Amino acid sequence: AADLAAMGPTLQTMARHKYDEYGSFRPGERFLESLARWLSQLEVSTERATAIDFVLKHLVFISDAELEHAIELVYRDVVRPLVREHVSKRLSISPFLIRQLTNAPAFKEAQRQLLILGLSDGARIDRLRRASPELSHEQFGLVATPASLEMKKMNKKLCAALPVAAGEPAPQFDHLILVDDFAGSGFTMIRQDKGTWAGKLIDVRTNLDRLKKDCLVAADARATIVLYVASEAAERWIVEHMKKADLPWSLRVIQRLPQSSLVTDQAMEALCRKYYDPVLTDKHKGAAPIGYRDSRLPVVLTHNTPNNSICLLWADTSERVDSTLRRHALFPRYERHAASRP
């Protein structure tokens, strides 16, 4: 208790600086209140010391300001260089002649033919749109599988923005930028399920093939996936499985979480396994004491905690009537799939 009291100023500073902004705390609860409840369920002082040490030294909390900064980097560090690279090859101009490339009419044309789509609501397309001042608002879509009617409207505005002479082919979107906020394992992005390919990227490919067939995007349209935050393992998984699935797309990660950040401390792992509530095991994620697919991440995002992180961070059953253990999580997760919301 004396040691914990000595850490009080540090914990208060961390709470004010970051942790109090977590979006899934209950009304009237913030970080310090949640921390007190979290520690109270641990049985002995050594367990509490392990937990506090993890919070002080290993927890990765990605604040709204940090996520906003990652979003602001997308246009400057990913989109614009991709367009320059494309125009450089098209005009046979050195990629190092940046001013010449960006002043060329072909650059503005190629930039307008980008189509930016969100792979989930976490993509924060509204923020990305505002952080990309050189792009038109008519290039952004909230979903990665837009309907034909929506694409027809966007194509009409593309043709108005890039008029061509009579007899020349109308411009088309020829490069998709697929955006998401986080990937912990990469499994929901792309995977093989009973011999067939599944996942968000497979759904996008199916829809893209339809749009190509209907001449709503260019027949040779390519795609780039942009993730604001991703683990090193997820990045590797996605690249490897895109290759196996014959998806010739590229992947760019703004903030990579290295393997060195994973939770490998045996004492912390033992706590996760000891205090995991079995009622959380379901058909979607299975048992996840050290995270979905054993991802071992120490990550909390400002709006929610991914289930790829260790369970002590997110696995809250304190208000579940089917639980006898009633575990309290430090940063309770809002579950995408829940038995109460079939």
Side-chain angles (χ1 to χ4, degrees), residues 88-339:
S88 171
K89 293 176 181 177
R90 178 179 164 188
L91 301 181
S92 298
I93 296 175
S94 168
F96 301 106
L97 298 176
I98 293 176
R99 177 167 294 185
Q100 184 177 344
L101 284 170
T102 55
N103 286 337
F107 181 86
K108 294 187 182 299
E109 293 170 6
Q111 189 165 248
R112 184 60 179 83
Q113 289 173 281
L114 292 170
L115 181 61
I116 299 94
L117 302 173
L119 286 167
S120 75
D121 55 1
R124 306 192 181 197
I125 289 296
D126 58 330
R127 295 193 185 187
L128 180 59
R129 186 170 53 205
R130 291 194 295 270
S132 308
E134 294 190 33
L135 301 182
S136 167
H137 283 205
E138 309 302 333
Q139 294 176 250
F140 292 84
L142 294 177
V143 297
T145 54
S148 295
L149 180 61
E150 183 65 23
M151 284 303 304
K152 287 177 182 178
K153 293 179 181 178
M154 297 178 81
N155 268 290
K156 185 177 181 180
K157 292 176 180 178
L158 173 63
C159 292
L162 300 176
V164 296
E168 292 187 8
Q172 291 180 298
F173 292 108
D174 61 8
H175 191 170
L176 276 65
I177 306 293
L178 307 170
V179 186
D180 213 344
D181 62 337
F182 179 79
S185 66
F187 190 74
T188 57
M189 284 280 186
I190 185 168
R191 62 189 181 277
Q192 275 190 301
D193 187 7
K194 297 179 181 179
T196 60
W197 287 100
K200 294 180 182 179
L201 300 185
I202 301 303
D203 293 341
V204 172
R205 177 169 67 178
T206 300
N207 193 62
L208 181 58
D209 289 343
R210 177 182 62 81
L211 295 175
K212 288 179 178 180
K213 184 178 180 180
D214 295 342
C215 299
L216 295 175
V217 298
D220 60 348
R222 59 201 187 280
T224 300
I225 301 107
V226 177
L227 300 175
Y228 302 147
V229 183
S231 70
E232 191 175 320
E235 181 179 16
R236 184 168 57 250
W237 172 280
I238 293 170
V239 170
E240 290 176 355
H241 283 73
M242 283 198 302
K243 185 176 181 180
K244 292 178 182 178
D246 196 26
L247 266 180
W249 300 348
S250 60
L251 171 65
R252 304 296 175 92
V253 176
I254 303 299
Q255 177 61 63
R256 182 182 294 104
L257 301 171
Q259 289 292 101
S260 60
S261 67
L262 302 188
V263 180
T264 56
D265 178 68
Q266 292 183 356
M268 195 63 186
E269 180 177 341
L271 288 184
C272 292
R273 297 191 184 280
K274 177 179 178 179
Y275 290 99
Y276 179 74
D277 193 331
V279 300
L280 289 165
T281 299
D282 57 36
K283 65 179 181 179
H284 300 289
K285 64 179 178 297
I290 54 173
Y292 176 59
R293 296 185 64 79
D294 295 343
S295 296
R296 296 179 177 270
L297 292 178
V299 178
V300 175
L301 303 178
T302 182
H303 60 285
N304 207 11
T305 304
N307 58 19
N308 302 97
S309 291
I310 56 173
C311 71
L312 287 182
L313 289 177
W314 59 268
D316 195 286
T317 59
S318 60
E319 296 184 358
R320 286 187 58 157
V321 296
D322 57 344
S323 172
T324 57
L325 300 176
R326 301 295 179 93
R327 302 301 190 201
H328 178 77
L330 183 58
F331 296 97
R333 168 179 166 80
Y334 177 81
E335 288 278 16
R336 177 184 175 189
H337 302 289

Side-chain angles (χ1 to χ4, degrees), residues 43-60:
E43 293 180 355
V44 295
S45 59
T46 54
E47 291 183 348
R48 294 172 184 172
T50 297
I52 281 291
D53 183 73
F54 169 80
V55 170
L56 292 174
K57 298 179 181 178
H58 303 288
L59 175 63
V60 177

